[in-house]
Amino acid sequence: MASSTASTGWYRGRVKAVPSGDSLVVMALTANKAGPPPERTITLSSLMAPKLARRDGQDEPFAWGSREFLRKLCIGKEVAFRVDYVVQQIGREFGSVFLGDKNLAMLVVAEGWAKVKEGKQGPQKAEASPYIAELLRLQEQARTEGLGLHSKVPGAGEASKRNLPPSAIGNAGNLDAVSLLAENKGRPMECIVEQVRDGSTVRAYLLPDFQFVQVFVAGIQAPSVGRRPITSDIVTEPETTSDKTNGDVSSEPRAPLTSAQRILASTASSVEVAADPFALEAKHFTEIRVLHRDVRIVLEGNDKFSNLIGSVYYPDGDSAKDLALELVENGYAKYVEWSASTLEDDVKRRLKTAELQAKKNKLRIWTNYTAPPTNSKAIHNQNFTGKVVEVVSGDCVIVADDSVPFGSPLAERRVNLSSIRCPKMGNPRREEKPAPYAREAKEFLRTRLIGRQVNVQMEYSRKVSPGEGAAATSGPADSRVMDFGTVLLASPTKAEGDDTPAPASSATASQQAGVNVAEMVVSRGFGTVIKHRDFEERSNYYDALMSAEARATAGKKGLHSAKESPVMHITDLTVASAKKARDFFPFLQKRRKIPAIVEYVLSGHRFKLLIPKETCSIAFAFSGVRCPGREEPYSEEAIALMRRRIMQRDVEIEVETVDRTGTFLGSLWESKTNVAVALVEAGLAKYQNSFGGEIPDGHLLEKAEESAKRQKLKIWENYVEGEEVPNGSAVDNTKQKEVLKVAVTEVLGSGKFYVQTIGDQKIASIQQQLASLNLQEAPVIGAYNPKKGDIVLAQFSADNSWNRAMIVNAPRGAVESPKDKFEVFYIDYGNQEFVPYSQIRPLDPSVSSAPGLAQLCSLAYVKVPALEEDFGQEAAEYLSEHTLNSANEFRAMIEERDLSGGKVKGQGTGPVLVVTLVAVDAEISVNAAMLQEGLARLEKMKKRETKERKTAIENLEKFQEEARTDRRGMWRYGDIQSDDEDVPSVRKATAAGKR
């Protein structure tokens, strides 16, 4: 070779990868900056090796043998090289590479594993190896001897082609990972690693069948390398002893990828995500040990997505090393329990020990590590006493702090029981059912703690995320802090029985006598003790908890028994239709007082009750008693009073009627005391008997209200004898009504419609965010599977605009075609339609988290026929024509708010505004116009009607009378029958919504 100086153009490096029989990736021997050393891809000058299979499933003859010859010859070895020429059209460098004193190109050609391309004539004559003559001679010699691809054996070329399975040519979905694991679990398998995705994930050919698999290294997780466009910025170190440094990383692309690499590259995202610290170093650490090397993989298990998990062993001299252990020992990966569960105990112990040592030495990813970790922090001097107002689950309670004033939002503190874990209660909104023994654990605590005085010793807090325990990572925005402590029950009742442990005491805790609630739960078998890591905070009574768990396990109690937990089927009428609730009414009315349990306080006068004997949950409200609405003065104080008074208590109810929303109305007693009386007496509710019947204890309610008025309590603080002041405000009633400037965006049946508030800054902000989005191509089938309830970006069919939408109904199973239909509801406009998968995009949480801008409204004082009823279509068309197709803006005067959570065919829940709708240039309201055209009729007046409502209905009667006289619309054939105030079903109008 030439002189060993940089000026000669010769460089030294180590072969990191061999993509094909005529190319290799060389990395510098040292790096002149942080991170992995620079790399360079060199194609051997004047050679052309057979190409490996791409997507057609066939190698060129002798392609695999050619690649294997060069791979085994030089992988991991030190070489010297020089760039002979560069072909700018393909951005590839061609050069001469020497292994010791041997020219690699000559070795390849001499064995017949590549053909020689003769140099070009003319201006490009230099595009040839300086050793071209010798290469041609060696090729002729190999051809004469029938070596390699020059073989003279009949059928040798066809026999040299690999018979590749679908997983190796781009159809990885056809790989049956579960069956592969079942056949080979625990058995060492010979492999060649083709790609390193990150430090703890490899993709390899399983020999001899060439199945191409991705394997997560069991028990560990390396930092994420992020996502970036595929590049191969490569530079190596000059063969010199001078103090000159390498140049910057080149921007020239690598040589053509193998078929497997091309498949993997095709899935790369164009969205750039920054790599985690030390992610590239961890990947490089793995690459120089296993990339294009012969390794052994032992499949250990798979996760819920059928991803393979295994141990990877690479050769190191005469021994084999465990890649997972090496990564953890060098601070390039952390121990993770979710995949370590597939390993044997001694292997897990070695990984844990290695991680603790790496943390102690602050190696790489643990550089800034301090114990305890940032997500767990001790809580000091936060002991308090209070009453338990709610049992959330078997391991979480809410305690009202005695030292905080009543009604303050800070009074109620959520306490998670330290160091124990109980079965999860699930989430009814996501149709998640309670885990076995979850109900029993919660009921066990409810019967012993609700309303009881407890001492709380706060011990530690932990920052957790919704996906904690999964393989996903989440940022700070997704995390929340949970506080953990020990709850001591000062005076246990007889209900605790023989399982009640002795009063707790600890040298490390304050000396407050009481029974440890966590120990009670664990000793009954309703919870398990968390196996903390060495550095984690834990309960001050951890040893007692471990002893209690050992007793429960020995006694086969609860979770530790072989018995299945009792199944309780509860009919939840709060999410059922109003008709179903009315069907239950006779069963509840026939009995006088019914035992019930208050499950939740929805507002000061409205609750969710569980009726065990009828195995149903109902929405229940006090008859004749109303508290301030949400966000009105004293509403929160009313809720706080009810939570302390009846939350999760055993009560008795008497049902009188059921309203049109399915809410049962009646009276409620706790400890033989009418709770509504206490609410009214505290000045937190009004007595409004507009039901025309006798209310139990009605005289007591009247006396309680008079007492509150005299004392000017809460909502009566500005009360003046003879004036009716709503919710403590001294403003006149007409001024109390809120008037909104709106535009109608969608019309439904039954006089319901959606509006947007004009001039709302939220609308402008959302529109600006949507306009700034960079819409990508349709997601790859299977890469994105939106489910019911997700907020997505969908293209509206009427004008092809992109808008926020909620998935109302999705196809069963995974998406199989771009034409698969999703039913969506446009949350900012109220429209609903079916949209193909190709017109749906994922939406960034920063845009999707904002509440929908469409507000559901209903015309006040009138009853409009449903779409399936006579004149229902005409009414919807009239309303559409005079609102949707009008350039006018409207004034919507809010007459009342229906807080029962009106739900229309999955179109979202929330308050329904009952309004009088008037165009700015109109003489009469839309309500009156509908009556005038005979497309609506007045609601009936009740026996005890408010003065304001009575006046409004009387003012509208002339418009109805005009339609009746002229026999318009529904009055065409004379008087129509009286209605029963049934609530008709609501369907979408045929008219399209507007944007």
Side-chain angles (χ1 to χ4, degrees), residues 934-950:
L935 297 175
R937 48 185 166 147
L938 279 172
E939 292 181 345
K940 285 190 172 182
M941 273 199 259
K942 299 172 183 176
K943 291 183 179 180
R944 297 189 181 183
E945 195 64 87
T946 62
K947 182 178 179 181
E948 179 188 0
R949 182 178 171 84
K950 183 177 180 181

Side-chain angles (χ1 to χ4, degrees), residues 870-890:
D870 291 343
F871 296 98
Q873 287 287 348
E874 291 85 343
E877 290 171 4
Y878 179 89
L879 189 56
S880 297
E881 182 180 349
H882 289 78
T883 56
L884 284 178
N885 301 328
S886 171
N888 292 336
E889 65 180 47
F890 292 85

Side-chain angles (χ1 to χ4, degrees), residues 357-470:
Q357 189 60 42
K359 289 176 179 177
K360 182 179 179 180
N361 297 335
K362 295 192 174 184
L363 287 177
R364 298 179 177 92
I365 66 173
W366 308 113
T367 299
N368 299 318
Y369 171 78
T370 54
T374 55
N375 71 331
S376 183
K377 184 178 180 181
I379 298 176
H380 302 290
N381 303 321
Q382 284 198 25
N383 299 342
F384 66 96
T385 62
K387 285 187 178 180
V388 178
V389 295
E390 182 180 354
V391 173
V392 180
S393 63
D395 54 11
C396 180
V397 298
I398 295 178
V399 182
D401 191 341
D402 290 340
S403 63
V404 180
F406 172 78
S408 168
L410 303 176
E412 294 187 2
R413 298 181 60 176
R414 180 182 291 258
V415 181
N416 299 277
L417 300 182
S418 298
S419 298
I420 73 167
R421 181 179 292 117
C422 292
K424 294 183 178 180
M425 287 299 299
N427 190 331
R429 293 181 181 178
R430 294 198 294 263
E431 298 181 357
E432 295 176 359
K433 295 182 179 179
Y437 289 101
R439 288 184 186 274
E440 289 76 9
K442 181 179 179 180
E443 181 65 11
F444 175 78
L445 282 192
R446 185 191 74 83
T447 56
R448 288 155 176 79
L449 293 186
I450 284 297
R452 302 287 299 281
Q453 192 75 13
V454 294
N455 301 315
V456 181
Q457 300 172 0
M458 299 308 299
E459 290 163 328
Y460 60 91
S461 65
R462 179 167 298 147
K463 186 181 290 185
V464 298
S465 61
E468 184 175 355

Side-chain angles (χ1 to χ4, degrees), residues 15 33 40 59 85 121 196 223 368 502 511 519 608 611 617 629 645 654 701 709 739 829 854 884 896 903 918 949:
V15 178
K33 57 183 179 180
R40 205 168 197 165
D59 294 334
Y85 58 90
Q121 302 299 320
V196 175
N368 299 318
Q511 300 299 316
E519 195 175 346
K608 182 179 180 181
I611 304 178
S617 292
R645 187 69 182 265
E654 187 173 319
L701 291 169
K709 285 180 178 179
V739 179
Y829 296 93
L884 284 178
E896 62 176 298
K903 187 169 184 179
V918 186
R949 182 178 171 84

Side-chain angles (χ1 to χ4, degrees), residues 621-693:
F622 294 137
S623 60
V625 174
R626 288 296 176 268
C627 293
R630 290 279 184 180
E631 299 182 358
E632 292 181 358
Y634 302 110
S635 64
E636 294 299 325
E637 194 166 333
I639 292 174
L641 176 63
M642 289 298 95
R643 282 178 63 82
R644 292 204 187 190
R645 187 69 182 265
I646 63 172
M647 179 69 179
Q648 292 187 335
R649 306 288 184 96
D650 293 301
V651 298
E652 288 184 316
I653 62 170
E654 187 173 319
V655 176
E656 299 166 22
T657 185
V658 59
D659 68 13
R660 60 182 180 178
T661 68
T663 299
F664 293 87
L665 306 177
S667 301
L668 182 148
W669 291 268
E670 193 270 329
S671 300
K672 298 183 179 180
T673 300
N674 191 317
V675 177
V677 174
L679 192 64
V680 173
E681 195 171 35
L684 295 172
K686 290 182 179 180
Y687 176 50
Q688 298 175 339
N689 185 11
S690 58
F691 299 95

Side-chain angles (χ1 to χ4, degrees), residues 582-598:
R582 288 195 293 272
D583 291 341
F584 266 75
F585 175 60
F587 300 100
L588 301 179
Q589 190 187 37
K590 68 182 179 180
R591 302 169 58 185
R592 291 294 293 172
K593 290 188 177 181
I594 307 170
I597 299 171
V598 180

Side-chain angles (χ1 to χ4, degrees), residues 773-796:
L773 291 178
N774 183 18
L775 291 178
Q776 303 173 8
E777 295 181 358
V780 179
I781 301 298
Y784 176 57
N785 290 298
K787 59 183 181 298
K788 184 176 180 181
D790 284 357
I791 303 298
V792 300
L793 200 62
Q795 191 173 28
F796 185 50

